Amino acid sequence: MAQTLDAKEVAKHNHPESCWVILYDQVYDVTNFLPNHPGGSKIILKLAGRDATEEYDPIHPPGTLEESLPPEAKLGAIDPDTLPKPDEPSVEDTPDADFIETPPLDSLLNLDEIEEVATKRLSRKAWAYYYSAGDDLLSKRLNNEVYRSILLRPRIFIDCEECDTSTTFLGHRVRIPVYVSPAAMARLAHPAGEHGIAEACGKYGALQLISNNASLTPEQIVKDAAPGQIFGWQLYGQIEKKKSEDMLVRINKLSDQIKFVCLTLDSPVPGKREHDERSNNVGSNLPVASAEQEGSSSKTGPAAKAPRGGIAANSFVGTSPKLTWKDTLPWLAKHTSMPIILKGIQTHEDAYLASLHTPQIKGIILSNHGGRSADTAPPAIHTLLEIRKFCPEVFSKIEIWVDGGIRRGTDVVKALCLGARGVGIGRAALWGLGAGGPDGVERTLEILKAEIETCMRFLGAHTVSDLGPHCINVRAIEQQIYDGPAGLEKLGLWVQSKL
């Protein structure tokens, strides 16, 4: 018979030599797991000796406990009568009671209003994780502001009654040229999490790119998918390759729904996200601590790195900073035959290099990780124009998608006019989820689709294929585009020598 433990006894085990936590009314000894936790031992020790369910549940997919701990680590049930009464939540971490009730979603007319409602409903920690970006948030702001500088060129005397927003991603038909970018920990916004986003995408025929750090398992997310609904899977190349390889085995089995693997490359090291850091780095507790910072990102040396899993064992199992063209792509080919998309392209040189690796590489995503990595990195539109200037042949070799800063359907159309095949939204889907659950994500997609259709009609475009550079004026931002040497001939020779 399993033993029942007293909360006072559990509370004694709150140090590295003996660390117990309460999860789902059960007591676990996680002492031996401390050095191997992806977010480092510090985050667990903060919760040692007490009930950690509230902190743990929204950001860990079901089954994580069973995968991470041996059966003997489960010590028994907690005696509920011995648990202390929960503290009143702090004002800072609790949504304002005056704004708990959501206004009718139909009354929210744009993505800014949806974000405003979500901000009032989310906890301070959840808001800070979603909102945060690198350093001074310059790239995050520019991601959106750059679209304001692109002007439309509306046409007249064109029958615009019919408007078709459908397109294809890697040969798969979608009803809207918008996809949901991989965004972690959706259950911080709503219990439905990534499954709720999938439900909304299914209704609007949109692609969902599932985060490697999703708060639900990929099997749970794609369950009940609509007929013909498609997904992609985001992969972070981890220091412990076996973890990535094991996940690819699971993803390969879901090929009826998941059609490609998206290797994220724009965050080989953590960005400095001060909003998140001030809110105790909720992101550092991700299952794969990629691009997340635990401890202070304003420190250097061993002290700053120690919480990431320990210096001696180098047991931080987040993103590997050693990924290369030469080694990573062949390794990936051994473990999946799915098409590969590279996410995080920020220069024309890397776009050109990616185009040399067809047919394995089918597409690229121009992205600066939502401004969450290197601040002052270029917005996707800059990189898109750079490719058009220096190596336009890339457009005929691989698909080019973009993400970052999308607030309006006109933003989507402008990117499509410059050659983007698809346009991603990340935070917008999370704000929708926070504002109204799956219905909030539906409303987000509904607004974007309606705005895209309106913009296309003004431009005289019946289909997405009718859009092109002739529909917009980009002169205001051309002076901001990189104007150095192309360097592609030498780059090609260099690649050949390395491969």
Side-chain angles (χ1 to χ4, degrees), residues 312-327:
N314 189 28
S315 56
F316 164 56
V317 286
T319 302
S320 170
K322 299 181 179 181
L323 306 183
T324 65
W325 296 100
K326 181 180 180 180
D327 298 327

Side-chain angles (χ1 to χ4, degrees), residues 26-359:
Q26 300 294 318
V27 180
Y28 294 87
D29 183 348
V30 296
T31 309
N32 294 332
F33 180 64
L34 289 176
N36 300 315
H37 183 247
S41 60
K42 185 178 178 181
I43 191 69
I44 298 181
L45 290 170
K46 287 180 181 178
L47 304 170
R50 59 190 181 93
D51 194 334
T53 306
E54 186 175 349
E55 296 273 354
Y56 174 93
D57 182 73
I59 58 179
H60 290 84
T64 303
L65 274 174
E66 292 76 9
E67 293 176 3
S68 303
L69 299 175
E72 58 269 21
K74 186 175 180 180
L75 303 178
I78 189 70
D79 183 348
D81 295 331
T82 64
L83 286 170
K85 293 183 179 180
D87 295 332
E88 290 294 325
S90 67
V91 173
E92 181 183 79
D93 199 45
T94 306
D96 192 322
D98 293 337
F99 297 100
I100 293 297
E101 187 173 351
T102 304
L105 291 173
D106 285 348
S107 71
L108 305 178
L109 303 182
N110 55 61
L111 270 56
D112 287 336
E113 292 181 357
I114 290 176
E115 179 180 346
E116 182 180 353
V117 171
T119 298
K120 294 171 182 176
R121 292 176 59 83
L122 295 175
S123 70
R124 175 70 183 183
K125 285 184 179 180
W127 171 86
Y129 177 69
Y130 291 161
Y131 180 86
S132 63
D135 294 354
D136 299 307
L137 285 67
L138 296 176
S139 285
K140 180 188 177 185
R141 285 196 290 269
L142 187 57
N143 280 348
N144 175 254
E145 290 172 358
V146 69
Y147 286 102
R148 310 284 81 80
S149 299
I150 300 175
L151 302 181
L152 299 173
R153 302 185 68 241
R155 302 300 301 273
I156 63 171
F157 270 151
I158 297 176
D159 182 352
C160 58
E161 181 179 4
E162 299 297 327
C163 182
D164 181 6
T165 62
S166 68
T167 187
T168 60
F169 293 154
L170 303 183
H172 301 282
R173 177 64 57 176
V174 292
R175 298 201 305 271
I176 184 172
V178 172
Y179 65 92
V180 175
S181 298
M185 296 198 291
R187 281 201 294 150
L188 283 174
H190 188 274
E194 292 81 4
H195 186 271
I197 295 176
E199 182 181 334
C201 287
K203 291 184 179 180
Y204 275 87
L207 164 72
Q208 180 181 2
L209 227 174
I210 302 170
S211 172
N212 200 151
N213 281 319
S215 53
L216 294 171
T217 67
E219 292 85 359
Q220 291 171 321
I221 295 168
V222 304
K223 183 181 179 182
D224 305 321
Q229 183 175 357
I230 62 169
F231 300 80
W233 172 259
Q234 179 203 33
L235 176 69
Y236 282 115
Q238 297 183 58
I239 291 174
E240 293 185 24
K241 287 186 177 181
K242 183 66 164 54
K243 293 180 179 291
S244 295
E245 293 166 1
D246 290 346
M247 181 55 73
L248 285 171
V249 170
R250 292 171 60 184
I251 298 305
N252 289 334
K253 294 178 181 178
L254 298 173
S255 59
D256 286 347
Q257 293 87 23
I258 298 177
K259 300 300 183 181
F260 63 92
V261 171
C262 173
L263 180 62
T264 292
L265 300 166
D266 47 19
S267 294
V269 295
K272 183 185 180 187
R273 306 175 195 170
E274 295 173 10
H275 284 89
D276 190 31
E277 187 171 331
R278 290 191 184 98
S279 294
N280 297 319
N281 275 319
V282 63
S284 67
N285 202 24
L286 288 169
V288 181
S290 44
E292 306 302 335
Q293 180 75 40
E294 184 187 3
S296 176
S297 54
S298 300
K299 295 180 180 180
T300 61
K305 297 180 180 179
R308 303 297 295 267
I311 302 170
N314 189 28
S315 56
F316 164 56
V317 286
T319 302
S320 170
K322 299 181 179 181
L323 306 183
T324 65
W325 296 100
K326 181 180 180 180
D327 298 327
T328 305
L329 294 181
W331 164 78
L332 200 52
K334 292 180 181 179
H335 297 282
T336 184
S337 59
M338 286 187 176
I340 304 298
I341 285 185
L342 301 182
K343 180 179 180 292
I345 303 298
Q346 297 167 82
T347 66
H348 75 272
E349 293 97 329
D350 282 337
Y352 174 76
L353 286 174
S355 72
L356 300 181
H357 290 82
T358 57

